[in-house]
């Protein structure tokens, strides 16, 4: 597994009865923790649904780069989405971890927003094959009148 | 390159901006042949928040030639003449795979901005504020097109630029309203707004077999054009009791499908009292559509510029069992079919391009488009040659 701490990974990573048990446990904790008393400190789970099978979303060997960047600072969970919609990928900042580096700086040191953006990037990468980049970055030259 | 930018003062000006570059493997760079002003831009110009940032390039309806391709692009080559869907969709997410590309999950560089604005990210759009994707607009010499295999379409040789241009935005919007509004053969269809989108809605309704199509507007020139080019009947709302007229034209039942295509005309400034009470503009055309529509019929709303409106007749929706739908155009789903119809001469749109300007004069073009003297229906900009003023072709 990757170095990101995983609460649990289900279907496709665990098999059979173990997966079913794990799914039930996670579903309960996932729901409870988001709203629990420690909810604010730990932060809500951020969740995106990815329209692909679990082994494509979180491959056992080498996790997608956007997620690896959050190394050690998030809990990650995965479960099957109902109705054949792929999987629900969840992550939550760990209460004891503070994100660092340029990525965190860009989102104003808001770990929840960083986690949310990272999940969207994982989804884009898995579904569309690339993380969309903006046309212009704040560091680009500004426009000037013609001539 | 030169591009029409939103300036820090809220005005428009042609400025020198960096050339676009390939940023993703599925991108192409298009050299713009034509780019049209769209009614949806007017709400941006009216300064409604969240507006564009200074130096953002405007424009989203365009066609041009591919001049550069990313390494993962399969369907396009340098030299292809393409029309580009105004909205940016990935073609691979749950929504795209179900024919709802305007709801694309992956069409934005800042999905969280879309979540803040609408609750969820939606497809990107060229030349719009960040929540709509973060892509520069088309009123420029060159445009970067993300997901080019999904959103750019090669134009058949027999279809001219001024026709194919409208396959980018106006034609798919109109077609979608008729399609998702569920127009059936023999239906009476009423369309509010005789602009480009309204006219193309009327034409689509006719092609889908509507028995009677009626267009409602306050500009005689546009109504005349709608009658001539779409075969619709016209109601001038300045001289007619619209509800009574529609009732008469539909045997007392009311139109089966009512489409609000009035567009993003500038929101009137709110009174002090309105600001105090939080009351918003009343959606006049939409209210009329709800009132006119037959029981069990469909009201389709195309106006993406209408952010919040008040005094919506929800009671009529309930008591008459109406379906109210809205959408931004699902162009990726309709454009190939629309280009086919254009090539077969079933769908003609070049009359909508009433005025051409070189890019240098794009700000003037917008002023003309906004204030509509001279029956300007769409101002079309040509960054690379020198067509100017009214075109008699
Ligand atoms: Zn538009
Ligand atoms: Zn998509």
């Amino acid at each position: 597994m990757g170095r990101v701490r995983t609460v649990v990974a289900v279907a496709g990573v665990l098999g059979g009865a173990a997966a079913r048990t794990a799914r039930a446990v996670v579903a309960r904790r996932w729901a409870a923790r988001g709203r629990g008393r420690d909810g604010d400190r730990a932060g809500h789970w951020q969740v995106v649904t990815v329209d692909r099978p679990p082994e494509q979303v979180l491959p056992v060997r080498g996790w997608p780069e956007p997620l690896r960047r959050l190394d050690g600072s998030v809990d990650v969970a995965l479960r099957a989405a109902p109705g054949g919609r792929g999987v629900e990928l969840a992550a939550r900042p760990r209460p004891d971890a503070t994100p660092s580096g340029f990525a965190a700086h860009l989102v104003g040191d808001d770990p929840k927003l960083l986690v949310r953006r990272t999940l969207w990037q994982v989804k884009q990468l898995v579904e569309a094959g690339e993380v969309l980049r903006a046309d212009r970055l704040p560091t680009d030259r500004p426009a000037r009148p013609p001539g | 390159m030169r591009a029409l930018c939103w300036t820090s003062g809220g005005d428009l000006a042609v400025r020198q901006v960096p050339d676009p570059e390939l940023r993703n493997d599925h991108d192409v760079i298009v050299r713009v042949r034509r780019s049209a002003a769209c009614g949806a831009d007017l709400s941006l110009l009216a300064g409604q928040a969240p507006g564009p940032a200074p130096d953002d390039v405007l424009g989203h309806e365009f066609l041009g030639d591919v001049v550069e391709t990313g390494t993962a692009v399969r369907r396009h080559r340098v030299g292809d003449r393409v029309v580009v869907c105004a909205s940016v969709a990935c073609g691979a997410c749950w929504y795209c795979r179900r024919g709802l590309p305007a709801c694309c999950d992956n069409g934005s560089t800042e999905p969280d901005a879309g979540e803040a604005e609408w609750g969820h990210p939606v497809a990107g759009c060229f030349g719009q504020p960040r929540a709509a994707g973060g892509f520069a607009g088309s009123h420029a010499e060159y445009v970067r097109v993300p997901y080019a295999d999904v959103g750019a379409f090669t134009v058949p040789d027999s279809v001219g630029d001024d026709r194919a241009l409208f396959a980018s935005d106006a034609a798919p919007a109109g077609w979608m309203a008729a399609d998702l509004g569920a127009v059936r053969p023999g239906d009476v269809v009423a369309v509010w707004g005789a602009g480009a989108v309204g006219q193309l809605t009327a034409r689509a309704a006719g092609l889908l077999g509507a028995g009677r199509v009626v267009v409602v507007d306050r500009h005689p020139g546009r109504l005349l054009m709608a009658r001539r080019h779409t075969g619709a009947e016209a109601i001038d709302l300045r001289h007619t009791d619209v509800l009574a007229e529609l009732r008469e034209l539909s045997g007392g039942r009311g139109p089966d499908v009512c489409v609000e295509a009035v567009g993003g005309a500038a929101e009137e400034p709110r009174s002090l009292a309105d600001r105090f009470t939080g009351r918003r503009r009343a959606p006049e055309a939409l209210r009329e559509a709800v009132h006119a529509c037959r029981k069990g019929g469909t009201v389709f709303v195309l106006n993406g510029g209408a952010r919040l409106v008040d005094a919506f007749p929800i009671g009529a929706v309930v008591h008459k069992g109406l379906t109210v739908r809205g959408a931004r155009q699902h162009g990726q789903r309709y454009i190939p079919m629309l280009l086919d119809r254009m090539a077969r001469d079933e769908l003609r749109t070049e009359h909508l391009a009433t005025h051409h300007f070189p890019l240098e004069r794009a700000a003037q073009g917008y002023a003309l488009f906004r204030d509509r003297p001279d029956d300007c229906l769409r101002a079309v900009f040509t960054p690379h040659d020198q067509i100017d003023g009214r075109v008699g072709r």
Side-chain angles (χ1 to χ4, degrees):
Chain A
M1 299 298 288
R3 286 183 298 160
V4 176
R5 179 181 155 209
T6 318
V7 170
V8 76
V10 292
V13 181
L14 303 178
R20 276 193 295 279
T21 313
R23 189 180 303 141
V25 170
V26 166
R28 235 183 357 254
R29 285 161 79 202
W30 182 338
R33 287 227 179 151
R35 294 185 223 103
R37 251 184 301 136
D38 66 336
D40 276 351
R41 201 161 46 85
H44 279 274
W45 287 95
Q46 303 291 329
V47 193
V48 294
T49 299
V50 186
D51 187 25
R52 293 294 182 274
E55 59 274 16
Q56 281 182 39
V57 180
L58 282 188
V60 175
R61 222 176 305 193
W63 287 9
E65 163 55 27
L67 201 51
R68 222 178 304 149
R69 232 174 29 214
L70 298 183
D71 188 15
S73 60
V74 288
D75 296 328
V76 175
L78 191 71
R79 66 182 177 194
R85 288 165 190 252
V87 298
E88 297 171 1
L89 172 66
R92 181 180 66 167
R94 291 176 60 184
D96 50 336
T98 44
S100 57
F102 190 56
H105 173 70
L106 278 181
V107 293
D109 298 315
D110 178 347
K112 274 178 286 186
L113 188 54
L114 180 61
V115 170
R116 183 109 202 109
R117 285 198 183 167
T118 304
L119 289 179
W120 278 113
Q121 288 175 356
V122 172
K123 178 179 158 73
Q124 277 191 350
L125 188 62
V126 172
E127 290 182 347
E130 61 191 15
V131 177
L132 264 189
R133 300 172 66 203
D135 275 324
R136 289 171 60 189
L137 303 171
T139 49
D140 286 345
R141 283 177 292 141
R144 56 190 168 80
Chain B
M1 67 167 181
R2 293 161 302 130
L4 182 70
C5 297
W6 167 269
T7 70
S8 47
D11 290 326
L12 301 179
V14 174
R15 296 191 160 183
Q16 201 70 34
V17 301
D19 284 352
E21 52 189 41
L22 298 171
R23 293 245 182 207
N24 283 105
D25 294 344
H26 292 94
D27 292 354
V28 301
I29 304 291
V30 167
R31 182 179 189 268
V32 177
R33 297 170 73 98
R34 294 276 194 282
S35 177
C38 170
D41 295 332
L42 292 180
S43 49
L44 290 182
L45 303 188
Q48 290 170 21
D55 297 335
D56 276 0
V57 180
L58 297 175
H60 56 265
E61 186 162 54
F62 67 108
L63 116 161
D65 301 307
V66 174
V67 292
E68 227 179 310
T69 60
T71 54
V73 172
R74 296 288 168 266
R75 287 177 49 191
H76 297 291
R77 285 186 199 169
V78 170
D80 283 1
R81 187 173 60 124
V82 293
V83 62
V84 179
C85 182
S87 64
V88 176
C90 74
C93 69
W94 192 85
Y95 295 96
C96 284
R97 300 212 287 189
R98 277 155 191 80
L100 301 170
C103 299
C104 177
D105 267 344
N106 300 318
S108 172
T109 62
E110 295 186 40
D112 48 288
E115 290 187 311
E117 176 72 7
W118 299 294
H120 297 90
V122 293
C125 183
F126 295 95
Q128 296 282 313
R130 291 269 139 72
F135 304 109
S138 61
H139 299 328
E141 292 179 74
Y142 298 91
V143 186
R144 166 207 171 203
V145 177
Y147 300 133
D149 282 343
V150 179
F153 300 86
T154 301
V155 178
D157 287 341
S158 63
V159 181
D161 287 353
D162 276 346
R163 184 177 291 190
L165 169 63
F166 296 102
S168 170
D169 192 32
W175 195 276
M176 177 190 68
D179 180 31
L180 300 189
V183 171
R184 309 231 181 285
D187 275 359
V188 178
V189 178
V191 181
W192 278 257
V197 173
Q199 288 192 32
L200 289 166
T201 304
R203 179 66 182 139
L207 287 168
L208 289 171
R212 189 157 215 172
V213 183
V214 188
V215 174
V216 181
D217 201 304
R218 61 168 72 249
H219 300 284
R222 296 169 158 229
L223 287 169
L224 187 69
M225 200 188 255
R227 210 183 287 134
R228 182 180 303 153
H229 293 279
T230 75
E233 295 164 66
I235 295 181
D236 186 333
L237 61 87
R238 294 171 311 160
H239 312 304
T240 317
D241 179 342
V242 175
L243 290 171
E245 184 79 7
L246 286 175
R247 184 171 294 200
E248 193 182 325
L249 288 172
S250 59
R253 300 182 308 277
D256 301 277
V257 180
C258 294
V259 178
E260 197 264 59
V262 172
E267 193 169 326
E268 293 118 48
R270 291 192 288 151
S271 70
L272 194 62
D274 282 354
R275 261 179 276 162
F276 198 66
T277 58
R279 200 185 126 92
R280 302 281 173 163
R281 183 177 65 132
E284 298 297 348
L286 181 57
R287 287 206 298 208
E288 207 162 64
V290 167
H291 204 80
C293 194
R294 79 150 159 85
K295 289 174 283 184
T298 299
V299 174
F300 201 95
V301 188
L302 282 167
N303 188 352
R307 289 168 46 77
L308 294 167
V309 294
D310 230 1
F312 181 77
I314 190 71
V317 171
V318 175
H319 285 281
K320 299 206 298 181
L322 300 180
T323 300
V324 179
R325 295 193 74 167
R328 273 169 52 195
Q329 50 101 344
H330 295 301
Q332 288 83 352
R333 165 175 169 182
Y334 296 113
I335 291 172
M337 173 272 293
L338 293 168
L339 287 173
D340 276 355
R341 289 182 189 267
M342 287 175 171
R344 289 203 304 269
D345 226 24
E346 260 177 44
L347 189 63
R348 298 189 206 109
T349 55
E350 49 271 50
H351 66 279
L352 303 170
T354 51
H355 292 70
H356 290 76
F357 294 93
L359 181 63
E360 275 65 31
R361 294 182 52 211
Q364 274 170 275
Y366 262 96
L368 193 71
F369 176 58
R370 186 191 54 213
D371 304 332
R372 305 205 175 103
D374 204 16
D375 283 333
C376 176
L377 198 81
R378 280 287 167 106
V380 174
F381 308 126
T382 49
H384 294 282
D385 59 23
Q386 298 297 318
I387 304 175
D388 198 358
R390 187 153 201 149
V391 171
R393 288 183 270 147

